[in-house]
Amino acid sequence: MPEQALTPAFVIHTRPYRETSLLVQLFTLEYGKVSAVARGARAKRSKWRGILQPGVPLLVELSGKGSLLNFKQVEASNLALPLFGQYLYSTLYLNELLYYLLEENTAYPALYHHYQDSLMALAKQQPLEACLREFELLLVAELGFALTEPEEFAQGRSYQYHLGEGFVLSMSRYSNVEFSYQEVLMLLAFDPQQAQHLLCAKRFCRIVIAQLLNGRELTSRKLFSQIKTTNRAFN
């Protein structure tokens, strides 16, 4: 990647790298998901300490070739978003989806802006169900699995969703993976203000995301299950 001007970004994952550095996964507006080394970021006097963390709107300048880049400059473009409790765990959930499901060095501008809006909604403690479902549905569409009306679409029929095929007529009796004609209509015209739409979208997103993750467990789900809350956005 050639040297570039400052570009908006958010940290979605970090881990220690060598003695004092960090290996950082960023979700950027211009380049999508990229990996970069922040040299000396873990040192006590590093100017980047406290900045390279989830929920901080960043402007970054990167340089280098190949899949692993270097930070040239990092600055916070705004204050860290106030994310606590279930809203923080929800942010970690969104970050894990981006970390595991996005291709490297592929721009997703619509998804980036929606992710930014989602973090703002979580910081304002807006309803989790609507925030998470809207993001999940857009993510699925951005990955190339946009919802379309199935063939032989008619009342009284049941459907299952398969990656690469979309909705297909169901020949089984496993109701937890089947969607009725009415439920498919809800998904095609999803309205986050409607409780039935949210319930339907929750079940659909769990099925599809499980297929995309291919058996991988998410740490954020485990963390969320450990806190005492009446919210069931993940369950």
Side-chain angles (χ1 to χ4, degrees):
M1 177 184 293
E3 294 186 8
Q4 56 175 325
L6 291 170
T7 185
F10 284 94
V11 171
I12 59 173
H13 186 268
T14 64
R15 65 178 176 85
Y17 183 76
R18 297 182 176 174
E19 292 186 2
T20 61
S21 300
L22 277 177
L23 183 59
V24 184
Q25 284 277 352
L26 295 166
F27 186 34
T28 72
L29 174 60
E30 294 185 53
Y31 297 98
K33 186 180 72 172
V34 296
S35 301
V37 175
R39 301 190 185 281
R42 294 162 54 218
K44 291 183 179 180
R45 296 185 179 181
S46 172
K47 61 183 178 181
W48 294 340
R49 284 180 68 90
I51 294 179
L52 294 174
Q53 58 183 330
V56 180
L58 300 175
L59 291 172
V60 302
E61 183 181 359
L62 305 170
S63 64
K65 298 180 180 180
S67 59
L68 189 57
L69 307 176
N70 293 296
F71 283 93
K72 288 193 65 177
Q73 184 177 348
V74 184
E75 60 184 59
S77 63
N78 212 325
L79 297 176
L81 296 172
L83 297 160
F84 306 101
Q86 59 189 345
Y87 301 97
L88 174 60
Y89 293 151
S90 297
T91 300
L92 297 179
Y93 171 67
L94 300 187
N95 289 350
E96 283 193 289
L97 293 181
L98 297 176
Y99 179 73
Y100 289 121
L101 299 182
L102 293 188
E103 293 184 5
E104 294 266 0
N105 301 308
T106 300
Y108 300 90
L111 184 64
Y112 180 90
H113 288 300
H114 191 85
Y115 171 78
Q116 185 173 248
D117 291 343
S118 296
L119 294 192
M120 291 295 295
L122 292 172
K124 294 177 181 178
Q125 300 190 4
Q126 294 181 3
L128 282 178
E129 289 282 357
C131 181
L132 297 180
R133 300 299 83 84
E134 285 189 290
F135 183 85
E136 290 168 336
L137 288 171
L138 179 60
L139 174 61
V140 169
E142 288 286 296
L143 293 175
F145 305 107
L147 298 182
T148 57
E149 186 175 299
E151 296 181 7
E152 302 181 52
F153 192 41
Q155 294 190 31
R157 300 291 186 94
S158 295
Y159 302 88
Q160 293 186 14
Y161 187 87
H162 298 163
L163 290 178
E165 298 180 72
F167 284 108
V168 297
L169 280 173
S170 177
M171 301 300 177
S172 71
R173 295 184 178 180
Y174 296 101
S175 60
N176 62 319
V177 297
E178 288 184 341
F179 295 87
S180 68
Y181 171 84
Q182 289 78 13
E183 288 175 323
V184 174
L185 285 178
M186 288 183 193
L187 292 168
L188 293 173
F190 177 67
D191 181 356
Q193 303 301 317
Q194 300 293 324
Q196 285 186 316
H197 286 224
L198 289 172
L199 288 172
C200 183
K202 179 189 296 185
R203 185 162 64 90
F204 172 80
C205 290
R206 285 187 68 88
I207 292 169
V208 176
I209 289 173
Q211 293 180 47
L212 290 168
L213 290 172
N214 196 26
R216 185 186 299 275
E217 294 187 17
L218 298 180
T219 302
S220 53
R221 289 187 184 275
K222 297 178 182 179
L223 291 172
F224 200 92
S225 67
Q226 293 172 4
I227 66 173
K228 294 181 179 180
T229 176
T230 58
N231 185 278
R232 292 294 180 261
F234 291 115
N235 299 329

